[in-house]
Structure formats: C-alpha cells, structure tokens
Amino acid sequence: MSNIFTRMKETVASDLHGMMDKKEEKNPISALNHYLRQSEQETEKVRVLVERQHRLKEEFSRERLLAEEMAEKRKRQLEIAKEAGESELTQFVQQEYEEYSERAERLTLSQIEAMKQLEALEKKYEEMMHKLKDMRIKRMELMGRENVAKARHQMSRITEETVEEPYSKFGEMERYIEGLEHKLNRDYYHHTIDSKIAALEKNRNFQQNNTVLEYK
C-alpha cells in the first residue's frame, strides 16, 4: 500500500511540476517568483540553523565553564583530602576531578567545532542572502522590461486600432466633402451657363426686334 501511495504522490508531483514548467515558459516573472519563494524558504531554514548553532555554541561554553569550575573545585578538595589522609575521600575526589577535567576538555573541543560549523553556516547564509538580493533585483529588472514591452504593445495597438480608424473616417469624410463641393461647383457652373445663355438669347432677341422696327 505504501508503495502505491508513494507512486501516486510522485505522479501527482510530476504532473504539477510539468504544469509549472509550462507556465514558467510562458511567464518568466512567475518562474522567477517561484524560484525566489523556494530560495526564501531555504534561506529561512538556514537562518533557523544559524540561530540554533549560536545557542548550541553558547550552551557548550556554559557547560565548559561549569566543568572547568567543578574541576578546579575538586582539585582544591583533592589537596585537602590528601593532607587529611582520607584515602577513600581522596579516591572519590580524584575520580571526580578527572571526570570534570575530561568533560571540560571534550566540551572545549565541541565548542571549537561548533564555532567552525557556525562560521560555515553564517557564510552560507550570507551567500544565500546575496543571491536572494540579486534575484529580487533581477525580478525588478524583468518587471521593468515587461512593463515597457506591455506599454509599447499597448501604444502600438492603440496606434493601429484606435488612431488609424478615426483617420480613415476623416479620409472618408474628406472625400465626401470634396465630392459634395465638386457637385455644388458643377451645379453652380451649369446654373451660371444657363443664366448667361438666357441673357445672351434675350439680348439677341431684343436686337432682332429693334432691327425689324427700323426696317418698318
């Protein structure tokens, strides 16, 4: 059963990753945000480890100091027990002194190792913080480029669809007005010709009538 559930989980995870990959190919900002969130989560884990290592180093230090104090105390007591001739007490105190001394030495080594580990973790944490900062800056740069690209696309679309359409309407209107003007000019010219011909014809008739009257 566990194998079946494991395969189902892996299949679902694979499908989700595939969907994510397709989405990331279409939107690089989304991909970068996804990687950024992952990096932030990993960085947070390292930060928690750094804090834990700090506490561990301090704990080693406190335990080492306590062991050294107890070793020094048993050392003084050992001298007193020897001077008093208390062999059984001397043996007990001697054993205690050796145990505290060994513990202090082991804690010293552990503290040194913890400090080395802490330095490595802090270095790793700083590197991850720098990478996070670089990724955030990269995201801002990509967002800026995306904004410019969208703005250019929008302006291009407005120019092609919104601006050119009124200009085409203006062109149609201009051609209509030119045609109307041409028609009016033609009608006016025809009317003028008719008026001139009528005047000439009237003048000719008048002259002809005068000539007839003279002959009479």
Side-chain angles (χ1 to χ4, degrees):
M1 288 294 292
S2 61
N3 290 334
I4 293 175
F5 285 120
T6 300
R7 287 198 298 270
M8 290 176 62
K9 181 179 178 182
E10 291 175 352
T11 301
V12 172
S14 177
D15 292 341
L16 289 175
H17 286 306
M19 293 171 61
M20 183 63 71
D21 291 339
K22 292 180 180 178
K23 183 178 179 181
E24 289 171 358
E25 289 176 0
K26 296 180 180 179
N27 193 338
I29 300 296
S30 297
L32 188 57
N33 286 335
H34 176 67
Y35 296 141
L36 187 56
R37 285 193 297 271
Q38 286 185 330
S39 298
E40 287 173 344
Q41 292 172 358
E42 295 301 319
T43 303
E44 178 62 18
K45 291 178 183 178
V46 174
R47 185 191 67 79
V48 172
L49 290 175
V50 169
E51 291 182 353
R52 186 182 301 171
Q53 195 68 17
H54 265 292
R55 293 194 297 270
L56 186 61
K57 186 198 73 170
E58 295 300 324
E59 188 68 21
F60 276 131
S61 179
R62 285 193 295 271
E63 291 294 332
R64 178 184 60 80
L65 290 174
L66 181 60
E68 288 176 349
E69 290 176 358
M70 291 301 298
E72 187 64 26
K73 181 179 179 179
R74 291 293 186 263
K75 183 178 180 180
R76 293 195 302 269
Q77 292 174 343
L78 180 61
E79 294 176 357
I80 294 173
K82 284 181 179 181
E83 290 177 359
E86 294 287 339
S87 59
E88 186 175 350
L89 181 60
T90 298
Q91 184 178 359
F92 176 78
V93 174
Q94 176 71 34
Q95 184 177 355
E96 284 275 300
Y97 168 72
E98 291 175 358
E99 287 181 358
Y100 280 119
S101 297
E102 290 176 1
R103 184 180 301 170
E105 183 177 354
R106 186 170 70 253
L107 286 168
T108 299
L109 295 176
S110 296
Q111 183 183 3
I112 293 173
E113 184 64 23
M115 291 175 63
K116 291 180 180 179
Q117 293 171 347
L118 177 60
E119 290 177 359
L121 283 173
E122 287 178 335
K123 182 179 179 181
K124 180 66 176 178
Y125 180 69
E126 287 297 324
E127 290 175 355
M128 295 180 75
M129 288 297 293
H130 283 301
K131 289 182 179 179
L132 273 178
K133 189 67 175 179
D134 291 339
M135 289 179 71
R136 291 187 179 115
I137 293 173
K138 184 65 176 178
R139 179 174 62 179
M140 289 190 294
E141 292 173 347
L142 288 177
M143 289 174 66
R145 291 166 59 185
E146 184 183 42
N147 289 337
V148 171
K150 286 182 177 179
R152 288 178 176 173
H153 174 71
Q154 185 70 10
M155 288 187 290
S156 175
R157 187 180 66 82
I158 291 174
T159 301
E160 293 175 358
E161 298 179 4
T162 309
V163 177
E164 289 186 2
E165 183 176 354
Y167 274 118
S168 65
K169 296 295 184 182
F170 289 147
E172 293 176 5
M173 187 178 297
E174 185 176 10
R175 288 191 294 272
Y176 171 76
I177 292 174
E178 288 177 352
L180 184 61
E181 289 175 344
H182 179 71
K183 183 178 181 301
L184 291 173
N185 290 333
R186 184 181 58 191
D187 292 344
Y188 174 76
Y189 184 69
H190 287 166
H191 178 71
T192 302
I193 291 175
D194 291 340
S195 298
K196 288 182 178 180
I197 294 297
L200 291 173
E201 186 177 10
K202 183 179 180 180
N203 185 45
R204 186 188 64 178
N205 292 334
F206 177 77
Q207 290 179 357
Q208 288 177 352
N209 290 335
N210 287 339
T211 302
V212 171
L213 290 173
E214 288 177 1
Y215 284 122
K216 289 181 178 181

